[in-house]
Amino acid sequence: NKEVLTNLEQISLSEEEYSKVKNGQIIPKRFNDDLAVFTYQDKLIAIYQTYSKDSSLSKPYKMFIQD
């Protein structure tokens, strides 16, 4: 439920970003805190976290993809 996650930064993904995130790829970090909620077309897709080996990148924390 997206409302529960309102205290986390919300990032709306482009189609290109979505194709990477849905496959759990490590991507460039574009949020300020340690965690952020990623959405695509108003659907909750994933929570990403700062990558511990490189703080300029982010990696999946929890995935919510449903096919």
Side-chain angles (χ1 to χ4, degrees):
N1 191 330
K2 209 159 84 170
E3 288 77 32
V4 175
L5 303 171
T6 55
N7 60 329
L8 296 177
E9 188 173 347
Q10 309 277 316
I11 305 288
S12 182
L13 298 172
S14 68
E15 188 174 345
E16 181 183 344
E17 291 168 324
Y18 173 68
S19 68
K20 293 176 181 177
V21 168
K22 74 178 182 180
N23 291 312
Q25 292 183 9
I26 293 171
I27 60 170
K29 183 179 172 187
R30 37 180 293 232
F31 49 91
N32 298 316
D33 295 326
D34 285 330
L35 294 172
V37 173
F38 285 178
T39 61
Y40 180 67
Q41 297 178 343
D42 291 324
K43 293 188 179 116
L44 178 61
I45 302 303
I47 299 174
Y48 261 55
Q49 65 183 351
T50 305
Y51 186 45
S52 60
K53 295 179 183 175
D54 183 344
S55 63
S56 70
L57 300 174
S58 61
K59 68 175 191 167
Y61 176 77
K62 176 77 176 155
M63 301 296 289
F64 299 100
I65 304 287
Q66 298 174 357
D67 288 326

